[in-house]
Amino acid sequence: GENVEQHPSTLSVQEGDSAVIKCTYSDSASNYFPWYKQELGKRPQLIIDIRSNVGEKKDQRIAVTLNKTAKHFSLHITETQPEDSAVYFCAASVSGTYKYIFGTGTRLKVLA
Amino acid sequence: DGGITQSPKYLFRKEGQNVTLSCEQNLNHDAMYWYRQDPGQGLRLIYYSQIVNDFQKGDIAEGYSVSREKKESFPLTVTSAQKNPTAFYLCASSTSGGTGELFFGEGSRLTVL
């Protein structure tokens, strides 16, 4: 079945450093790849997404890259700040359905 | 104020009892979803619905049931057949299922005593 693997499960960085979270997906026909941020006790919220016809997308300090050949996509956060501390989930659409499959999450801690 | 409302926020249930979690949206979205969140396991899809009167099983549907009688409502029933029901349940909706943003509710935490 469809699967999304996410690494690492936890990540600690110093404030101001960069953070990278990586995901791989199994459905080669997936065409939509969102990233969600979930702060403690809150609902997940979309922070950035990318579609299969684009290789990279940026929004201020965050960026997502997609390698369709390798079926990899990554989240990059630059100049990390304490408020970036949260759990981040990647997801991939399942072709021909309304389904989204999520990765297992990465707990990011930004150390002041 | 548009959004998704889940209730109750916290629910306690005795073993052997069924419980229904409510999910209402006023975003006029066609697609609605139920996910279960457990520590270290991400968000796992229980059921989803593309339109009124239609729904499909997700990856972990056993022990759960849903209905979609109205566009704005997608209640989830956790039955006594669900072997490990204690979890955090998230409802979501999307205007373009499979290709657009998921909007999540605040979640319902179910604890089986």
Side-chain angles (χ1 to χ4, degrees), chain A residues 6-25:
Chain A
Q6 182 172 348
H7 299 281
S9 57
T10 61
L11 179 60
S12 294
V13 299
Q14 290 293 132
E15 182 178 358
D17 286 350
S18 295
V20 180
I21 302 170
K22 299 181 179 181
C23 290
T24 60
Y25 59 97

Side-chain angles (χ1 to χ4, degrees), chain A residues 78-89:
Chain A
T78 59
E79 301 173 15
T80 53
Q81 301 167 3
E83 53 265 37
D84 294 329
S85 295
V87 178
Y88 291 81
F89 293 99

Side-chain angles (χ1 to χ4, degrees), chain A residues 5-110:
Chain A
E5 293 189 1
Q6 182 172 348
H7 299 281
S9 57
T10 61
L11 179 60
S12 294
V13 299
Q14 290 293 132
E15 182 178 358
D17 286 350
S18 295
V20 180
I21 302 170
K22 299 181 179 181
C23 290
T24 60
Y25 59 97
S26 60
D27 182 359
S28 57
S30 290
N31 59 9
Y32 177 66
F33 307 91
W35 285 88
Y36 288 83
K37 175 183 180 182
Q38 187 178 27
E39 297 179 11
L40 191 62
K42 296 191 176 180
R43 72 187 82 189
Q45 293 193 300
L46 181 74
I47 55 171
I48 196 166
D49 57 15
I50 192 167
R51 300 185 188 277
S52 58
N53 59 349
V54 175
E56 183 175 2
K57 184 176 178 181
K58 281 186 177 180
D59 183 2
Q60 299 183 346
R61 296 187 298 107
I62 60 173
V64 57
T65 59
L66 173 64
N67 182 331
K68 286 179 59 180
T69 303
K71 293 190 282 187
H72 288 172
F73 59 113
S74 300
L75 178 71
H76 303 254
I77 306 174
T78 59
E79 301 173 15
T80 53
Q81 301 167 3
E83 53 265 37
D84 294 329
S85 295
V87 178
Y88 291 81
F89 293 99
C90 63
S93 62
V94 177
S95 59
T97 77
Y98 274 43
K99 292 170 62 173
Y100 303 81
I101 301 298
F102 282 79
T104 50
T106 297
R107 182 173 299 279
L108 173 64
K109 296 181 184 177
V110 179

